[in-house]
Amino acid sequence: MAEPALTVPSDRGRITIAPEAVAQIVGRVAAECYGVVGMVVRGPARERVTQLLPKGRLARGVIVRNDGGAVALELYVVVAYGLNLAEVAATARSQVTYEVERLTGLRVASV
């Protein structure tokens, strides 16, 4: 079942944004974060390893959900070996939240 479009109220009406557009933004921002090697699709662990996504398919490692007027995001990333996972996750969460809110005007509920 496809996720419904996300809407942002404006003084001139309403702006509708497709979840796929938000996923593209999230995928590109996450891939640029320090320590993120790539994105993977959601699924069993043994399948994820073989499906490391190339740079052109970053949105497939992102799930966008409408959460009561805000956006809830799930990211499936591969982190470089030897880095602190908590630090990479915090950086990615912060960057993604900032860019999605800046570029779309949508409020981000969770990453």
Side-chain angles (χ1 to χ4, degrees):
M1 183 168 152
E3 191 69 29
L6 307 159
T7 59
V8 179
S10 170
D11 58 343
R12 296 182 183 221
R14 190 174 45 184
I15 301 169
T16 304
I17 303 171
E20 294 82 11
V22 176
Q24 285 289 333
I25 293 169
V26 172
R28 291 192 186 279
V29 171
E32 293 176 3
C33 291
Y34 175 75
V36 174
V37 175
M39 308 284 286
V40 292
V41 294
R42 183 179 179 195
R46 77 179 90 131
E47 290 179 17
R48 279 189 246 154
V49 173
T50 61
Q51 293 183 358
L52 183 63
L53 299 173
K55 293 285 185 196
R57 296 187 181 185
L58 299 173
R60 289 188 58 203
V62 178
I63 296 175
V64 179
R65 289 183 286 114
N66 192 347
D67 188 19
V71 179
L73 305 167
E74 291 182 31
L75 284 79
Y76 294 90
V77 299
V78 178
V79 177
Y81 179 78
L83 295 180
N84 185 332
L85 291 176
E87 288 296 320
V88 173
T91 301
R93 185 180 307 116
S94 173
Q95 287 289 334
V96 166
T97 300
Y98 172 76
E99 290 296 332
V100 168
E101 289 179 348
R102 182 180 74 86
L103 294 172
T104 66
L106 294 167
R107 190 174 62 82
V108 177
S110 64
V111 177

